[in-house]
Amino acid sequence: MVPYNPFDPDVLADPYPHYARLRAEDPVHWLESLSTYVVTRYDDVVALLRQPNLFSSAKGMGDLLSLVFGSGKGGGKARATGASAVSRSLIASDPPVHTDLRRLVSRAFTPRAIAELESRIRQIAKELVGGLVERGEGDFVADLAYPLPVIVIAELLGIPTERRADFKRWSDAIVSAFTLSADAATTRTQAIEMIDYFIEIVAQRRANPGKDMISILVTKGADGEDALTLDELVGFSTLLLVAGNETSTNLLGNSMRIFFERPDVLARVREDRSLLPQMLEEVLRFDAPVQCLFRATTAPAELSGVELPAGVRVMPVIGSANRDDRRFPDAHRFDLDRRSADHVGFGQGVHLCLGAPLARLEARIAMETLFNATGTIELAGDIVGTTSFLLRGCTSMPLKVDAA
């Protein structure tokens, strides 16, 4: 059996050589520390993600997140709602519950709805980049990659941006549950505080609806459509907060890291901005913001010749699938000219990330704005990476910039 420890600092720093060995020698690897089968080949990961009835999100992501939010026993309404909201969120539900939920919340993510956000996202990006350029130095993550998606999400939900510090604290706490330094008690306390806040926000919108996304979902019942329950609204809001900002932040950080590692790529994209969309797709393949997910078998299954009994947890590794040479020639090489439309950076099947178009739009606008406002961009210190095996990105990236 191939040794593999996702918490090992060397693995966290660069998991890809370890994924390659797993794909070659042990593609369905039993990981005792997490009581899960680690699935690393592209075809297996796609097959797994496209069969939600056989590989359950509710029993995979749902059961794990329930540990983060609490069992629902004691601790007041927030604890009970937190556990229930997990089971009624998109990431942790199966059809037909997932089908109904996605139909209801997808109205907030139509192409038209996303397109209408572009001018406001450009305005936010211009303000953030302007501050960075005026100072001449800063941190790419703290000054742009993190605040941009958080401000956008806060405005979508109709929440004051001065709560940004709370957003970061709550989001960091949830993500920390998947790190070696996880503190279950602290994570749960922060999760319950977040749930409390969104329970209050939902109550406010029901009493006095506005034009924000929560208000739209609350008031649709008055239009004769199905209305979301409190659990569903809280589950949607927390998922959008955590997944929305983490995915976009990490996509931006990983993209900028590629630019510093590959000056030739940076030069081409700065010269021809039309290359940005395909550059971002290659980043999603090459260094995916979400590295893995969790599912559980509902019946006996087989992957790469390995028999899986019913009721076992499996971990499809997106980051490994996207580096599988069986699907992507020279997969270890970042290729700006590669057409990576079939990568699984945003998942596959019914759980394909609903917010993917928004993340792509935010990343493209952020990079365009940064390039338009600067003449040179230099790395001014060490890049600090995330310490979660679930997510991959950067937590700090010091920069020096000159105005265009």
Side-chain angles (χ1 to χ4, degrees):
M1 180 179 290
V2 176
Y4 172 65
N5 177 9
F7 297 104
D8 186 311
D10 290 337
V11 176
L12 290 170
D14 185 6
Y16 298 108
H18 304 274
Y19 293 160
R21 189 174 176 189
L22 287 172
R23 286 194 306 272
E25 302 177 31
D26 196 8
V28 183
H29 169 87
W30 174 250
L31 183 61
E32 185 67 36
S33 62
L34 293 178
S35 299
T36 187
Y37 284 95
V38 179
V39 180
T40 50
R41 288 181 179 171
Y42 180 91
D43 287 346
D44 288 337
V45 168
V46 170
L48 194 159
L49 295 177
R50 288 181 175 175
Q51 299 180 79
N53 293 327
L54 180 57
F55 297 97
S56 166
S57 292
K59 291 297 183 181
M61 294 301 296
D63 284 0
L64 283 175
L65 290 174
S66 291
L67 296 176
V68 175
F69 284 87
S71 64
K73 298 178 181 178
K77 187 174 182 180
R79 186 179 293 272
T81 298
S84 182
V86 166
S87 68
R88 300 293 295 179
S89 68
L90 284 174
I91 198 173
S93 59
D94 299 322
V97 172
H98 176 273
T99 307
D100 292 340
L101 284 174
R102 191 170 180 109
R103 177 179 58 81
L104 289 169
V105 303
S106 63
R107 59 171 63 99
F109 290 92
T110 63
R112 179 179 177 182
I114 298 301
E116 289 176 350
L117 294 172
E118 180 163 353
S119 61
R120 177 55 182 150
I121 294 173
R122 287 193 181 280
Q123 182 182 4
I124 297 168
K126 188 174 182 179
E127 292 171 359
L128 294 172
V129 169
L132 178 62
V133 171
E134 185 176 347
R135 294 188 302 275
E137 61 181 12
D139 189 289
F140 178 75
V141 178
D143 294 329
L144 180 59
Y146 175 74
L148 174 63
V150 169
I151 293 171
V152 172
I153 289 169
E155 292 187 358
L156 283 174
L157 296 175
I159 294 170
T161 53
E162 54 262 28
R163 298 302 298 258
R164 192 189 311 168
D166 292 325
F167 277 22
K168 180 168 179 55
R169 178 163 48 84
W170 295 334
S171 182
D172 287 349
I174 303 303
V175 171
S176 74
F178 301 94
T179 66
L180 188 59
S181 59
D183 181 338
T186 300
T187 298
R188 193 163 298 172
T189 298
Q190 296 294 327
I192 291 172
E193 183 181 325
M194 178 173 62
I195 294 295
D196 266 330
Y197 181 75
F198 281 114
I199 290 173
E200 180 183 338
I201 290 295
V202 170
Q204 291 175 2
R205 298 300 187 273
R206 282 176 167 164
N208 186 26
K211 295 182 179 180
D212 58 273
M213 194 177 291
I214 295 177
S215 295
I216 291 171
L217 295 174
V218 163
T219 56
K220 280 299 178 182
D223 296 337
E225 298 184 58
D226 295 330
L228 294 179
T229 66
L230 173 62
D231 291 343
E232 291 165 348
L233 286 163
V234 170
F236 169 74
S237 300
T238 55
L239 176 62
L240 184 62
L241 168 60
V242 178
N245 90 67
E246 290 291 344
T247 301
S248 295
T249 297
N250 291 342
L251 173 56
L252 278 165
N254 292 348
S255 298
M256 204 67 206
R257 179 161 52 191
I258 291 293
F259 282 138
F260 285 126
E261 292 174 352
R262 292 284 303 275
D264 58 316
V265 172
L266 175 59
R268 283 187 63 190
V269 175
R270 291 205 71 149
E271 179 69 23
D272 182 0
R273 308 295 168 76
S274 68
L275 294 174
L276 258 175
Q278 68 192 59
M279 187 272 178
L280 292 171
E281 293 306 309
E282 178 67 347
V283 173
L284 286 164
R285 183 201 68 82
F286 185 79
D287 205 11
V290 177
Q291 286 284 295
C292 61
L293 298 167
F294 288 93
R295 300 288 188 264
T297 55
T298 60
E302 178 186 325
L303 294 171
S304 282
V306 177
E307 297 289 341
L308 304 175
V312 296
R313 186 182 298 155
V314 293
M315 187 174 91
V317 185
I318 288 170
S320 175
N322 283 340
R323 291 285 193 104
D324 192 339
D325 285 313
R326 297 167 185 81
R327 186 66 181 185
F328 305 102
D330 296 323
H332 64 283
R333 183 172 61 88
F334 185 92
D335 183 358
L336 182 58
D337 297 310
R338 189 192 305 269
R339 301 298 178 178
S340 309
D342 52 351
H343 68 74
V344 289
F346 280 123
Q348 275 271 0
V350 299
H351 284 279
L352 182 67
C353 179
L354 188 63
L358 178 58
R360 288 182 170 107
L361 180 64
E362 288 173 339
R364 177 173 60 81
I365 289 175
M367 288 301 185
E368 287 175 352
T369 305
L370 182 64
F371 292 160
N372 288 340
T374 57
T376 60
I377 306 171
E378 298 178 0
L379 192 60
D382 293 333
I383 297 174
V384 180
T386 54
T387 57
S388 167
F389 69 90
L390 184 73
L391 301 170
R392 182 165 169 81
C394 305
T395 58
S396 179
M397 188 180 292
L399 300 181
K400 287 185 178 180
V401 299
D402 291 327

